[in-house]
Amino acid sequence: MNQSNFAKLIGIPQGVLSQIESGLKPISEYYEKAIREGLAKKRVSVQEIEHVQEIIKIKKQRGYK
């Protein structure tokens, strides 16, 4: 699923989701709730998200972008 499809699934504009993802826009409670509900719809667990966060952290430490 790409960002555009996920934005449609959770009912927020793709541009807003992009800004949140890139850190250009702070995440509000409304958007956080929409994203969490969307992840639940796609059956993504908190544990899976934590694993991805850890991978990103390790890659940054190794110099990956």
Side-chain angles (χ1 to χ4, degrees):
M1 171 168 282
N2 63 29
Q3 187 183 73
S4 180
N5 291 339
F6 188 66
K8 287 177 188 172
L9 174 75
I10 63 176
I12 66 171
Q14 183 271 328
V16 171
L17 184 58
S18 176
Q19 290 175 335
I20 292 169
E21 187 177 306
S22 63
L24 298 175
K25 181 175 185 67
I27 188 165
S28 67
E29 286 183 33
Y30 172 80
Y31 290 132
E32 181 178 356
K33 181 180 177 194
I35 292 167
R36 287 183 182 276
E37 288 174 356
L39 292 171
K41 285 180 187 177
K42 297 308 287 180
R43 299 175 135 185
V44 177
S45 72
V46 172
Q47 190 175 30
E48 289 172 304
I49 295 168
E50 289 171 352
H51 286 293
V52 171
Q53 288 173 329
E54 185 63 26
I55 291 167
I56 292 168
K57 178 181 168 188
I58 290 168
K59 284 188 168 199
K60 283 182 179 178
Q61 289 172 345
R62 294 180 181 172
Y64 292 94
K65 291 185 180 185

